[in-house]
């Protein structure tokens, strides 16, 4: 639980690695104090911290619209959703700490710009319909991903995912409801929904990461059951779920090549523009700088809350000591 | 605005393990952990993080540092006094056929 409790292996002993891989193959769950290869620990720290950062940065594009929500009902929902995302970040940071890292250091890495987070949050939220598109597509893609991660071999990550999955369904449904409502509205409202779908569809598909043949970590992560399905399989599952949802609310997916394969019963998409994806990862997305600046500002503006909490705790301790004396 | 996340009081608060009870009569179960400067704030943080939808009717927080736990390496020897005592289980005992014991 504390970093000092974590077993500190020296070099990875091949016999221990074989025993570890035997446990994984037998479907056992790896817990924080169990022996694990350094590489497994590193890969999990990388994945989990990026995931936690993504939840935290993910609050920003939607946080932009809380004060501009079109009704009190929508405002309450959006506020609750954004608060959930903050909670998701905390669940996963807490899981990452079981691997012997400090949350404080992870947050430093995020604020200093050295940590990665999901590229999807570097796109701007231009209209209210973007709140619909994000809930429906971005949270929809996250559900597909996280449902599988809930079966991952590392216990604390899997348990955090279970907790998160229970909350994500509300995120997706509130987004889809926004899109359905706009689509049934005035021509201008319907056009707004369609425009949001046009802008968010491809970035959502890219959330699953590059095709497995171009994904450097995939094979190892699959063998260790950190990942249970390939990027392409998860993307396909998302496409198959989402296409009929778009049809049901009379919106058109921005892919002229999209077609249903009656043999496989899968929807087949056209080629993904991976140049755009890697460009956004490198920091050239429309909002990379803005997101980090907003996050740093929020952290700095919250300093007084942290100070007040500490002062209060110190005062309470002082009182307890003087009554005990 | 200061970007220096480590400045002043912005250090890492102690870690607390959170146990939630889903309904009265149920056991408290480990939910996760929170950082907080004291127990009162740890409880508030635990509520905000682990009970936003009525998941708990009661919460315990325990400083992580005071929890003692068995370690995986002594799992075998530590627990094996229990592994050769089949006579602690009801199946160990024979009952005449056709008799309902429970
Ligand atoms: Fe989330
Ligand atoms: Fe979400």
């Amino acid at each position: 639980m504390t970093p000092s409790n974590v077993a500190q292996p020296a070099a990875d002993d091949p016999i221990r690695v074989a025993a570890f891989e035997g446990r994984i193959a037998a479907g056992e769950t790896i817990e924080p104090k169990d022996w694990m290869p350094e590489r497994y620990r590193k890969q999990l720290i990388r994945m989990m911290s990026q995931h936690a950062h993504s939840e935290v940065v993910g609050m920003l594009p939607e946080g932009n619209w809380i004060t501009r929500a079109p009704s009190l009902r929508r405002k309450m929902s959006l506020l609750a959703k954004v608060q959930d995302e903050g909670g998701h970040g905390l669940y996963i940071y807490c899981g990452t700490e079981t691997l012997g890292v400090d949350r404080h250091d992870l947050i430093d890495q995020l604020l200093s710009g050295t940590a990665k987070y999901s590229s999807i949050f570097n796109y701007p939220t231009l209209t209210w319909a973007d709140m619909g598109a994000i809930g429906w597509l971005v949270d929809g893609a996250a559900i597909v991903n996280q449902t599988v991660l809930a079966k991952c071999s590392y216990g604390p990550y899997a348990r955090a995912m279970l907790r998160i999955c229970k909350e994500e369904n509300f995120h997706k449904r509130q987004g889809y409801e926004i899109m359905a409502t706009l689509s049934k509205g005035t021509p201008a409202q319907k056009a707004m929904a369609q425009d949001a779908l046009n802008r968010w569809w491809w970035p959502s598909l890219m959330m699953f990461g590059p095709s497995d043949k171009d994904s450097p970590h995939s094979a190892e992560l699959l063998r260790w059951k950190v990942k249970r399905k390939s990027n392409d399989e998860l993307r396909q599952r998302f496409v198959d779920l989402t296409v009929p949802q778009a049809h049901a609310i009379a919106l058109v997916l921005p892919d002229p090549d999209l077609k249903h394969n009656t043999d496989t019963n899968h929807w087949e998409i056209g080629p993904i523009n991976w140049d755009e994806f890697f460009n956004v990862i490198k920091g050239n997305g429309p909002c990379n700088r803005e997101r980090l600046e907003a996050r740093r500002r929020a952290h700095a503006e919250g300093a007084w809350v942290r100070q007040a909490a500490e002062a209060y705790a110190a005062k309470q301790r002082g009182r307890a000591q003087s009554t005990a004396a | 605005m200061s970007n220096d996340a480590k400045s002043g009081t912005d250090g890492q608060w102690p870690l607390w393990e959170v146990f939630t009870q889903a309904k009265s009569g149920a056991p408290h179960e480990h939910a996760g952990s929170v950082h907080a400067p004291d127990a009162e704030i740890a409880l508030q943080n635990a509520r905000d993080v682990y009970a936003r939808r009525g998941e708990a009717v009661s919460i315990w927080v325990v400083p992580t540092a005071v929890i003692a736990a068995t370690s995986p390496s002594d799992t075998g020897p530590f627990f094996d006094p229990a592994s050769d005592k089949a006579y602690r289980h009801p199946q160990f005992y024979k009952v005449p056929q056709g008799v309902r014991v429970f």
Side-chain angles (χ1 to χ4, degrees):
Chain A
M1 269 170 264
T2 53
S4 61
N5 280 345
V6 174
Q8 291 292 337
D12 283 345
D13 171 356
I15 297 169
R16 298 188 99 174
V17 174
F20 171 84
E21 295 198 334
R23 291 190 62 200
I24 300 256
E28 283 184 43
T29 302
I30 307 301
E31 292 296 339
K33 292 165 79 180
D34 294 351
W35 186 87
M36 61 186 84
E38 250 337 271
R39 178 101 185 124
Y40 178 84
R41 182 187 305 277
K42 287 230 170 69
Q43 287 282 36
L44 274 168
I45 292 173
R46 181 186 62 82
M47 264 181 83
M48 292 173 72
S49 63
Q50 284 179 16
H51 192 164
H53 296 326
S54 302
E55 301 285 349
V56 170
V57 177
M59 291 191 276
L60 300 172
E62 291 175 294
N64 274 339
W65 279 90
I66 291 172
T67 56
R68 293 177 284 172
S71 69
L72 184 58
R73 181 177 185 272
R74 293 281 188 234
K75 191 176 193 161
M76 289 191 306
S77 305
L78 189 58
L79 201 54
K81 177 189 189 290
V82 170
Q83 192 191 4
D84 276 352
E85 305 301 2
H88 296 177
L90 290 172
Y91 304 156
I92 308 171
Y93 281 130
C94 134
T96 317
E97 287 194 305
T98 64
L99 292 159
V101 290
D102 210 64
R103 187 180 77 185
H104 194 265
D105 296 334
L106 298 176
I107 290 174
D108 269 358
Q109 289 161 13
L110 175 65
L111 296 179
S112 67
T114 56
K116 280 188 185 154
Y117 56 85
S118 178
S119 288
I120 192 85
F121 302 117
N122 287 322
Y123 291 86
T125 42
L126 303 177
T127 69
W128 170 250
D130 289 25
M131 297 307 99
I134 288 180
W136 174 32
L137 302 175
V138 177
D139 290 82
I143 292 172
V144 169
N145 224 340
Q146 289 165 341
T147 308
V148 180
L149 279 172
K151 296 178 201 119
C152 101
S153 59
Y154 189 56
Y157 198 18
R159 291 191 286 273
M161 288 303 109
L162 269 184
R163 204 170 272 285
I164 286 178
C165 285
K166 282 188 196 150
E167 302 182 352
E168 290 290 1
N169 289 334
F170 137 61
H171 299 179
K172 177 176 176 176
R173 280 177 74 131
Q174 65 88 37
Y176 189 56
E177 189 191 274
I178 290 172
M179 291 301 260
T181 308
L182 288 172
S183 185
K184 279 187 302 200
T186 65
Q189 286 170 329
K190 176 157 190 187
M192 190 195 272
Q194 182 63 54
D195 169 64
L197 173 56
N198 293 348
R199 284 181 290 108
W200 289 95
W201 173 248
W202 290 105
S204 301
L205 296 181
M206 293 179 201
M207 281 174 71
F208 296 96
S211 180
D212 298 291
K213 51 186 192 303
D214 306 318
S215 177
H217 304 294
S218 273
E220 187 180 57
L221 294 177
L222 284 165
R223 182 160 48 93
W224 282 338
K225 295 188 183 169
V226 173
K227 285 175 72 164
R228 304 302 304 260
K229 297 261 186 235
S230 74
N231 294 350
D232 289 326
E233 283 175 286
L234 293 172
R235 184 165 22 244
Q236 186 61 53
R237 183 182 291 183
F238 174 70
V239 169
D240 290 337
L241 276 169
T242 312
V243 172
Q245 291 164 357
H247 292 165
I249 58 173
L251 294 177
V252 181
L253 292 162
D255 179 355
D257 296 326
L258 183 72
K259 60 176 185 301
H260 189 248
N261 182 330
T262 44
D263 294 334
T264 61
N265 206 21
H266 287 306
W267 286 91
E268 292 172 358
I269 56 170
I272 294 177
N273 179 358
W274 290 111
D275 289 343
E276 173 188 322
F277 174 78
F278 288 112
N279 206 29
V280 178
I281 283 194
K282 271 189 228 129
N284 303 323
C287 299
N288 295 50
R289 280 178 59 87
E290 189 187 325
R291 295 288 179 247
L292 273 187
E293 272 160 26
R295 189 61 227 131
R296 287 189 197 118
R297 201 179 330 115
H299 190 77
E301 286 173 358
W304 71 270
V305 180
R306 296 188 290 276
Q307 284 160 9
E310 274 176 28
Y312 180 73
K315 193 169 95 183
Q316 296 294 104
R317 267 194 302 274
R319 277 206 188 130
Q321 268 159 18
S322 61
T323 47
Chain B
M1 160 183 153
S2 158
N3 284 344
D4 182 8
K6 280 204 162 108
S7 70
T9 53
D10 199 17
Q12 177 78 289
W13 288 335
L15 197 59
W16 303 71
E17 298 302 320
V18 178
F19 299 82
T20 53
Q21 184 189 34
K23 53 182 195 293
S24 91
H28 285 69
E29 278 182 9
H30 186 242
S33 60
V34 293
H35 287 279
D38 68 4
E40 189 181 345
I41 296 170
L43 282 170
Q44 289 172 6
N45 288 352
R47 174 202 58 199
D48 293 345
V49 176
Y50 296 104
R52 284 193 300 283
R53 290 177 172 76
E55 293 95 333
V57 294
S58 162
I59 299 178
W60 296 344
V61 290
V62 184
T64 306
V66 304
I67 293 182
T70 56
S71 78
S73 56
D74 49 46
T75 300
F78 190 80
F79 293 104
D80 73 7
S83 55
D84 60 352
K85 296 183 177 59
Y87 49 85
R88 287 179 176 172
H89 298 277
Q91 295 81 353
F92 185 77
Y93 300 93
K94 292 186 184 68
V95 186
Q97 267 209 325
V99 177
R100 254 190 91 177
V101 189
F102 300 109

